[in-house]
Amino acid sequence: MGLLQRAVETYDANFGLIGVYRTGRDPLAPIGHVLTNANIEITLNAEGQFIAARKVEKNEPKILIPVTEESGGRTSGHAAHPLCEQLKYVACTNKEAHECFLAALKKWNESAHTHPFLPVIITYVEGGTILDELIDGGILKPDKKENEKQLVCWRVLGIDGEEPCCWKNRNLFEAFIAYYRESRTQKTALCMMNGQWEPTASQHPKGIIPVNGNAKLISANDKSGFTYRGRFSEEWQAATVSYEASQKAHNAIRWLASEQGVRELAGNRIFLCWNPEGKTTPRPMRAMRSKEDEAARKPSDYRNKLQSTLLSFRSDHQLKDTDPVILASFDAATTGRLAVTYYNEISLKIFLERMHDWDAHCCWYAGKYGIQAPTLLQIVDCAFGTLRGNFLETDDRIQRQHLQRLLDCKISGGVFPADIVKALTRRASAPQAYEEPVWRRMMQTACSAIQKYRYDTKQGGNEMAWELNTKDRSFQYGRLLATMERAEADYYYKTQEQRQTSAIKFMSEFRQRPFFVFERINRHLHQAYLNRVEAWQANRYERLVGEIFGILREFPENELNRPLSDLYLMGYELQRNAFFAKNETKEYNEEA
């Protein structure tokens, strides 16, 4: 299937949620309806007499209003919505617009699918008192040009069995759907979405992704450009889609884009992940295990907890291996055209396996949170973000480009992008350019990415479980860096000084000329610090340096001062973490 077919399937599967308002979520719009913001709410009685009016606050939920194809896609001219409209249509401030609105309302009222609200609203609108009553009530200020664009919605009291709010009245929804289905005169053709011969759509809904304004997903109205010229002589030949299939698909996508918990936003690009039946799926750009979960301190504990999270997710949400998961992203290069920038269908079994495999290998020690997998956004920000105080901010264009690359890599099981690993390594090697918390997060993210890249390219397994005596030159130099840092930090801890150690100051240079920088820092440590710390701390330093150089001497002498690979960051981090093991102080006290 394709995106639109899956969207129709989603709409039909969630039929019970059509028109239902839930706290913090937009309702799924019925066919022939759109969600929009109301500005003024007018309350009438069953005789069409004015009772009250109020301003609708900006933070109130959007409302459902019926629209025709022409009114729903209007950009200029007069094409009236048949119930709730702007004040210039409802009041007689623009004669042509007002007549258009009354004609649409009366046509619906005179059909076989009328509704008790319609004659009430017609009576009130024809009375012509709306402007005076809104001004007298302080809702409007006289002679304000922006008054014309205020959208009016209706509440009708005193009609038995009817919900007073027009935007919640299901009988009203159904009446308009039936009326408009009969009144449309479009030709019948083969719908390319459902394979049925049905009346086609002459226009398709706009504004289905709110952050992209009025951009359309399907449009072929550019008769002077190159939308369809050169391939077809008429616009309908490019794509014949039935009205109802188009309405279902577009309403479902807009609903998915507004649902909390299934979307990720990067600039104007929105990423969606869903199951057509409405079953909850993990968020693919985030870690399966959240920071609120119990911390895992050991790689074995982390793997067990990750597996437990996976199993509990499947059982809690009653997921089946055959359930489909749909992933799509949307962006608009212009205000009028919406593009599908990514689309993928995958079975739940494979989706969860890919989510698990990513988190199992793209992870690292995250301080008090234990072992964690970084979010895709964290990876992009750490690799390409600009420092803004205590956080990193990435340009929208760069962010959405790399987020999509990482998402595809994660879901398709591809190799972690090497250029992102290099960017992270370069930044993690320059601690002086960033605030301490930012740099620590950058270091953890870099190690996560390096570990994932090495796993993907079959250069190693689970590096977090490596032994500290691993025979790798870069890894051992990373240990040496952490050892030098700890020796100087021990002295600052004793004197309560907040200073950056020499090892961290020269980290970038250390990566390029490790032995040269070691000699300099080692000489400085012996002159200034080692005779001022506890004896066991000085002994620990000497012992570790001797142990590390015992391994480094196994490599050719001409390699001692060559630049280091990114693996030195892992050696640094693992040795640094070893210093914080619970038995570390006791161990070295005993040795002393």
Side-chain angles (χ1 to χ4, degrees):
M1 288 191 180
L3 170 66
L4 297 179
Q5 287 93 336
R6 286 297 190 185
V8 171
E9 181 184 343
T10 301
Y11 189 93
D12 290 338
N14 291 277
F15 182 82
L17 294 177
I18 295 174
V20 176
Y21 284 79
R22 295 177 292 164
T23 303
R25 301 189 178 189
D26 289 341
L28 177 58
I31 292 171
H33 291 72
V34 297
L35 273 168
T36 189
N37 289 307
N39 304 110
I40 299 170
E41 177 190 301
I42 296 177
T43 302
L44 307 175
N45 63 20
E47 287 72 44
Q49 296 171 333
F50 178 84
I51 295 177
R54 72 177 186 92
K55 286 184 179 179
V56 178
E57 300 297 330
K58 291 183 178 180
N59 60 354
E60 292 188 45
K62 294 183 177 182
I63 67 167
L64 290 166
I65 66 170
V67 297
T68 64
E69 282 187 283
E70 294 75 18
S71 71
R74 75 186 180 206
T75 54
S76 60
H78 296 119
H81 301 323
L83 185 67
C84 302
E85 250 301 0
Q86 294 177 348
L87 203 56
K88 72 174 182 179
Y89 285 87
V90 179
C92 199
T93 59
N94 182 310
K95 185 177 179 181
E96 185 180 351
H98 183 65
E99 290 176 351
C100 180
F101 173 71
L102 273 177
L105 197 55
K106 288 179 178 180
K107 184 178 179 182
W108 180 9
N109 184 48
E110 292 165 1
S111 73
H113 304 285
T114 186
H115 185 274
F117 281 10
L118 302 184
V120 172
I121 296 170
I122 290 171
T123 299
Y124 176 67
V125 170
E126 287 184 329
T129 61
I130 181 170
L131 276 181
D132 293 335
E133 285 160 343
L134 292 178
I135 292 171
D136 292 343
I139 307 299
L140 296 178
K141 293 182 180 179
D143 304 323
K144 285 284 186 179
K145 186 68 176 177
E146 60 266 25
N147 285 348
E148 290 192 347
K149 295 187 177 181
Q150 302 288 297
L151 190 132
V152 177
C153 63
W154 310 98
R155 185 190 293 264
V156 180
L157 305 178
I159 298 179
D160 293 339
E162 295 292 340
E163 159 64 49
C165 303
C166 68
W167 59 94
K168 294 181 179 180
N169 191 307
R170 301 185 71 85
N171 294 333
L172 190 61
F173 298 158
E174 293 168 4
F176 179 76
I177 293 170
Y179 154 69
Y180 195 57
R181 182 183 288 125
E182 285 190 4
S183 65
R184 293 181 73 255
T185 58
Q186 293 298 117
K187 63 182 179 182
T188 299
L190 178 67
C191 175
M192 296 182 179
M193 282 171 57
N194 61 20
Q196 304 294 321
W197 286 84
E198 295 179 352
T200 59
S202 60
Q203 294 188 48
H204 299 276
K206 63 182 181 181
I208 61 171
I209 306 294
V211 294
N212 294 122
N214 289 327
K216 284 188 173 184
L217 193 57
I218 304 176
S219 179
N221 59 2
D222 184 8
K223 297 181 179 179
S224 60
F226 296 92
T227 304
Y228 61 86
R229 290 180 67 204
R231 291 173 180 261
F232 308 104
S233 58
E234 299 292 337
E235 61 185 63
W236 64 266
Q237 295 170 329
T240 53
V241 179
S242 71
Y243 170 74
E244 293 205 8
S246 173
Q247 286 286 311
K248 287 181 177 182
H250 286 85
N251 286 351
I253 293 172
R254 196 210 179 286
W255 177 65
L256 290 167
S258 69
E259 280 285 271
Q260 302 298 315
V262 298
R263 68 175 186 175
E264 301 287 349
L265 197 61
N268 286 338
R269 183 167 299 184
I270 192 166
F271 296 84
L272 302 181
C273 173
W274 79 95
N275 168 261
E277 295 180 6
K279 295 181 180 180
T280 303
T281 62
R283 303 180 74 165
M285 291 194 175
R286 303 192 181 187
M288 290 188 70
R289 285 181 52 77
S290 71
K291 290 186 176 181
E292 287 70 34
D293 295 336
E294 183 182 353
R297 303 295 176 186
K298 298 178 181 178
S300 57
D301 292 342
Y302 176 73
R303 287 193 293 272
N304 291 337
K305 289 180 182 294
L306 189 61
Q307 184 66 22
S308 176
T309 301
L310 177 65
L311 293 175
S312 63
F313 194 93
R314 294 170 70 105
S315 60
D316 290 349
H317 300 287
Q318 300 180 337
L319 301 174
K320 301 177 183 177
D321 287 346
T322 54
D323 287 337
V325 177
I326 316 301
L327 299 104
S329 68
F330 303 85
D331 203 351
T334 69
T335 56
R337 300 290 182 269
L338 184 68
V340 180
T341 59
Y342 177 78
Y343 182 76
N344 198 354
E345 290 187 24
I346 190 169
S347 71
L348 181 73
K349 181 177 185 295
I350 297 175
F351 176 71
L352 292 178
E353 285 175 357
R354 299 268 167 82
M355 290 280 290
H356 174 274
D357 289 350
W358 179 278
D359 283 17
H361 299 285
C362 187
C363 57
W364 199 253
Y365 300 96
K368 66 179 181 180
Y369 300 112
I371 298 171
Q372 286 286 331
T375 65
L376 301 192
L377 182 59
Q378 180 178 326
I379 295 173
V380 173
D381 283 345
C382 287
F384 305 105
T386 302
L387 187 64
R388 307 287 188 213
N390 286 328
F391 67 94
L392 294 161
E393 185 178 63
T394 308
D395 178 81
D396 285 347
R397 291 171 297 176
I398 295 173
Q399 186 185 81
R400 58 182 180 244
Q401 172 192 349
H402 291 293
L403 276 177
Q404 188 159 306
R405 290 178 65 204
L406 288 171
L407 177 64
D408 184 58
C409 173
K410 185 174 184 177
I411 299 305
S412 301
V415 176
F416 194 99
D419 60 308
I420 296 181
V421 175
K422 290 178 181 177
L424 287 167
T425 302
R426 183 176 64 253
R427 288 185 156 207
S429 301
Q432 287 187 291
Y434 306 98
E435 297 292 332
E436 170 75 12
V438 174
W439 176 67
R440 287 304 315 160
R441 184 165 65 251
M442 204 173 277
M443 177 67 78
Q444 293 154 8
T445 306
C447 288
S448 299
I450 294 166
Q451 177 165 254
K452 181 66 169 66
Y453 179 75
R454 292 181 64 81
Y455 171 78
D456 291 341
T457 55
K458 297 180 170 48
Q459 296 181 50
N462 185 356
E463 281 77 4
M464 286 189 298
W466 276 17
E467 299 294 332
L468 292 177
N469 61 358
T470 298
K471 302 296 190 293
D472 183 276
R473 186 181 69 91
S474 295
F475 182 90
Q476 292 301 325
Y477 265 124
R479 288 186 63 204
L480 186 61
L481 184 69
T483 302
M484 294 187 294
E485 177 195 25
R486 184 57 187 258
E488 189 172 344
D490 284 338
Y491 174 75
Y492 294 149
Y493 180 79
K494 180 179 179 180
T495 61
Q496 300 297 304
E497 295 180 63
Q498 299 293 325
R499 293 174 59 184
Q500 195 174 56
T501 64
S502 298
I504 299 303
K505 287 180 183 176
F506 295 108
M507 189 172 180
S508 182
E509 186 180 354
F510 180 82
R511 182 189 176 199
Q512 300 301 322
R513 300 189 296 170
F515 188 74
F516 175 81
V517 175
F518 161 71
E519 286 187 314
R520 183 198 307 173
I521 297 176
N522 183 56
R523 185 166 53 250
H524 182 60
L525 287 172
H526 278 88
Q527 291 172 351
Y529 300 113
L530 290 179
N531 60 346
R532 298 181 182 181
V533 297
E534 299 290 335
W536 71 269
Q537 293 173 327
N539 291 340
R540 177 188 61 188
Y541 173 76
E542 298 293 357
R543 184 182 69 83
L544 284 174
V545 170
E547 176 187 309
I548 292 167
F549 269 95
I551 298 173
L552 288 174
R553 288 192 187 97
E554 298 179 17
F555 295 91
E557 188 174 344
N558 63 355
E559 291 186 4
L560 278 180
N561 209 37
R562 286 177 55 189
L564 303 176
S565 73
D566 52 21
L567 200 58
Y568 92 98
L569 294 177
M570 286 191 164
Y572 166 81
E573 279 283 288
L574 289 174
Q575 182 61 63
R576 186 176 182 274
N577 287 337
F579 288 137
F580 291 97
K582 289 182 179 180
N583 64 344
E584 189 267 333
T585 301
K586 180 180 177 182
E587 173 189 342
Y588 287 111
N589 267 312
E590 289 174 352
E591 289 184 4

